[in-house]
Every structure is written in C-alpha cells, then in structure tokens.
Amino acid sequence: MNARSLLCCLALLAIPPIAQAAAPVQQIQSRLAKPTVMCGRFDQTKQLTGIKKPLQSHGRFCVLKGRGILWQTLQPFPGTLRITRDAIVQIQDGRIAMKLDAQQEPVVKMINSVLFSLLAGDLSQLETLFELDGSLRDGHWQVALKARQPALAKAIGDISLAGASYVDKVSMQEASGDRTEISFSAIKTGEGAMTAEEGALFD
C-alpha cells in the first residue's frame, strides 16, 4: 500500500450511524480529550473492490500536539509515516524513502489538516472541510462527514467516526468502492506514552 493510501486510511473510515436526533458538534467536541501526547495501537482493514480477501495490517501510532503524527506499521510489512502540517515522510530502514510536500500537493495539505483535527479531537475545525451529522448516546458518539470540496471527496470519499473520550474507529468509503476501517485501542497519554525512539523520529 502506498503512503497516500495509508494516509487516507489513517485519516478516516466508517460505522453505520445510529438512528436518533443529531447531536450538536459542540456537545460531542466537549467529550473529546485533547492530550499533548497520545499513543496506541491501530488495526486496519481495507476491502478492495473485486478482491474477496481484505488487506489487514496493524501497528502503533503516536500524536504529538503541535509536532505531528507517527504511523508505524508492524505487520504485514514494517514501515513508518511521519505526518506534519508541511509534509508526509515515509521512512524505511531509518532512511527517508519518500516525501510529499503539502505546499506542492493541495490534496495532501487538506488530508493533513483533517488528520490533525481528527486526532487532536478538534471536530470544529473539520466543519470547514466537511458537512457533519452527529449522534450521541450513553457517552458514545458517531459522526458522518461529507466533504465540501470535490477534490477532497475524490481523495477520501465518505467518512464516519465513532468514539467516546477519544476517536475509537474511523471508516472511509472511497468513490472507487474500496472501503477502509481502522480501530484504535490501548491508548496511553502523557509522559511515558511515547518511547525515546519514537520521540527521536520527530526530530
């Protein structure tokens, strides 16, 4: 899977919305934690159109507020993406294998903005790029996102988020028919959440 596809997967994916009145974005926003450092496990499943067996991967992610996102795939193949507001960098064997500059790639810039808002728990910022339809029940929420801009809609399709204090699941239905789902678990925050090796990858 290439870096942009993986980024789109991380960026977003979907769960069926529950049938009830829409909850204001502000109400859901108030339930989201906003830690300075957050790390955990991700499990990703991508179902490609025309292929019966889905592609599965898992690994670890870290979000460092104001610095960026680290997305480390462990299985089936090791690889690391470092995502900042300026660029997406793919790291293989300790070396930069690929770099997408957000200033030269408008879609990359939009996706980066979505990622930072999503993992920082800032749904209000997502409203600038998406129409949001949310629902809330028993402390758990779901939000469906529909891109306002055609370029973003083409890049990532329809998105759904679900969670409580953190975003637990993301789903994306692409225009091609491909579908990606990611779940986040074992989340830790604060001092000790990130290893020294992971911190060094932000330097």
Side-chain angles (χ1 to χ4, degrees), residues 40-167:
R41 174 189 171 107
F42 72 83
D43 290 272
Q44 176 178 296
T45 300
K46 187 174 182 67
Q47 184 65 63
L48 300 174
T49 303
I51 299 178
K52 292 183 178 181
K53 188 175 181 179
L55 303 176
Q56 297 182 323
S57 62
H58 73 266
R60 182 172 161 81
F61 75 96
C62 284
V63 181
L64 185 56
K65 187 175 181 179
R67 295 288 301 280
I69 301 165
L70 200 62
W71 188 258
Q72 302 178 86
T73 301
L74 302 177
Q75 295 289 340
F77 306 106
T80 299
L81 284 180
R82 183 180 67 221
I83 303 159
T84 66
R85 293 193 181 279
D86 297 325
I88 301 166
V89 177
Q90 184 176 33
I91 301 171
Q92 293 284 4
D93 300 323
R95 298 179 179 180
I96 295 178
M98 183 213 65
K99 182 176 181 179
L100 292 176
D101 192 318
Q103 299 304 317
Q104 298 176 359
E105 299 273 356
V107 172
V108 170
K109 186 174 182 178
M110 283 192 292
I111 292 175
N112 281 16
S113 179
V114 171
L115 276 174
F116 275 89
S117 298
L118 168 63
L119 292 178
D122 194 349
L123 295 179
S124 61
Q125 289 298 313
L126 292 175
E127 284 190 295
T128 63
L129 295 173
F130 297 91
E131 296 177 8
L132 306 185
D133 183 13
S135 57
L136 177 65
R137 182 173 62 188
D138 299 330
H140 292 270
W141 54 265
Q142 296 186 356
V143 176
L145 291 78
K146 184 175 181 180
R148 297 180 185 275
Q149 301 181 33
L152 187 58
K154 184 177 180 180
I156 60 180
D158 294 329
I159 299 162
S160 295
L161 314 175
S165 296
Y166 305 102
V167 176

Side-chain angles (χ1 to χ4, degrees), residues 31-42:
R31 294 174 178 270
L32 283 166
K34 301 175 182 63
T36 301
V37 181
M38 178 174 68
C39 297
R41 174 189 171 107
F42 72 83

